[in-house]
């Protein structure tokens, strides 16, 4: 099988994994802790960006963001744009400065979610002038970011294993 087919298969499997995680994260009552659900697709997108680099990582982020946008009550494309930018940055950082380890995946996922949720919080809560925005932020936004970052650790190990498998397949073709 040519290299191009392996790459297409790899990214198709990433997308199908994202669809599966999207269904899981939007299943009512599943993975709920204290009224908070993780965004599993974001964890997968950040983990993929760590191993695939800035271009493929940005595309994985955009695809994951579109999956999240389907079930979101924000404007369509909000998560796609945010995840595209954040996953591109993650891919660049890991390729040039940092190592792909689980703690970095936790940190990058937390920062990605914190950025996305802070922008959304600004436009949905702060601008409208709701009372006690600090309490709402610490009770809803921060737990969501931490829970998603915790879900990124198993996603990291799964993506690493998946990436190494396809890397070995491509090396065997040469």
């Amino acid at each position: 099988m040519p290299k191009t087919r392996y790459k297409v298969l790899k990214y198709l499997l990433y997308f199908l994994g994202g669809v599966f995680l999207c269904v899981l994260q939007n299943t009512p009552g599943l993975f709920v802790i204290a009224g908070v659900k993780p965004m599993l697709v974001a964890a997968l997108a950040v983990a993929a960006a760590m191993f695939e680099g800035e271009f493929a990582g940005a595309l994985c982020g955009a695809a994951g963001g579109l999956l999240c946008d389907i079930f979101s009550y924000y404007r369509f494309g909000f998560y796609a744009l945010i995840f595209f930018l954040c996953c591109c940055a993650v891919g660049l950082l890991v390729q040039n400065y940092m190592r792909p380890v689980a703690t970095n995946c936790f940190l990058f996922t937390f920062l990605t979610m914190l950025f996305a949720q802070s922008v959304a919080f600004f436009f949905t809560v702060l601008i409208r002038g709701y009372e006690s925005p600090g309490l709402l932020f610490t009770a809803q936004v921060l737990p969501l970011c931490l829970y998603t970052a915790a879900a990124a650790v198993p996603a990291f190990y799964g993506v690493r294993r998946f990436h190494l498998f396809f890397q070995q397949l491509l090396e065997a073709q040469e």
Side-chain angles (χ1 to χ4, degrees):
M1 202 146 100
K3 283 184 179 183
T4 307
R5 287 188 182 174
Y6 280 125
K7 287 187 177 187
V8 168
L9 178 64
K10 178 169 77 168
Y11 293 117
L12 179 66
L13 290 175
Y14 271 133
F15 182 73
L16 291 176
V19 169
F20 177 72
L21 290 177
C22 185
V23 169
L24 285 180
Q25 84 182 18
N26 291 297
T27 300
L30 191 62
F31 301 123
V32 176
I33 296 178
V36 177
K37 295 180 80 160
M39 291 184 70
L40 302 173
V41 177
L44 176 70
V46 171
M50 291 183 72
F51 288 100
E52 301 301 331
E54 74 278 0
F55 181 72
L59 293 179
C60 287
L66 286 173
L67 288 172
C68 291
D69 282 330
I70 291 170
F71 295 98
S72 173
Y73 53 85
Y74 302 126
R75 289 270 186 203
F76 192 78
F78 171 75
Y79 283 120
L81 178 63
I82 298 286
F83 291 170
F84 174 84
L85 295 173
C86 290
C87 288
C88 182
V90 166
L92 285 169
L93 283 171
V94 170
Q95 277 193 340
N96 297 319
Y97 301 111
M98 304 180 88
R99 296 181 345 192
V101 293
T103 53
N104 286 343
C105 188
F106 180 90
L107 175 68
F108 288 141
T109 305
F110 177 76
L111 292 175
T112 297
M113 289 304 300
L114 186 64
F115 177 64
Q117 296 305 317
S118 295
V119 169
F121 186 80
F122 176 77
F123 286 110
T124 58
V125 174
L126 288 180
I127 285 183
R128 293 181 181 167
Y130 288 111
E131 285 188 31
S132 304
L135 181 62
L136 185 61
F137 190 82
T138 56
Q140 292 295 317
V141 174
L142 288 180
L144 169 68
C145 296
L146 285 171
Y147 195 10
T148 304
V153 174
F156 169 81
Y157 288 113
V159 168
R160 182 176 71 176
R161 186 176 197 117
F162 184 76
H163 177 76
L164 291 175
F165 173 75
F166 272 96
Q167 194 172 24
Q168 289 172 349
L169 282 176
L170 289 173
E171 287 173 3
Q173 284 291 315
E174 294 176 0

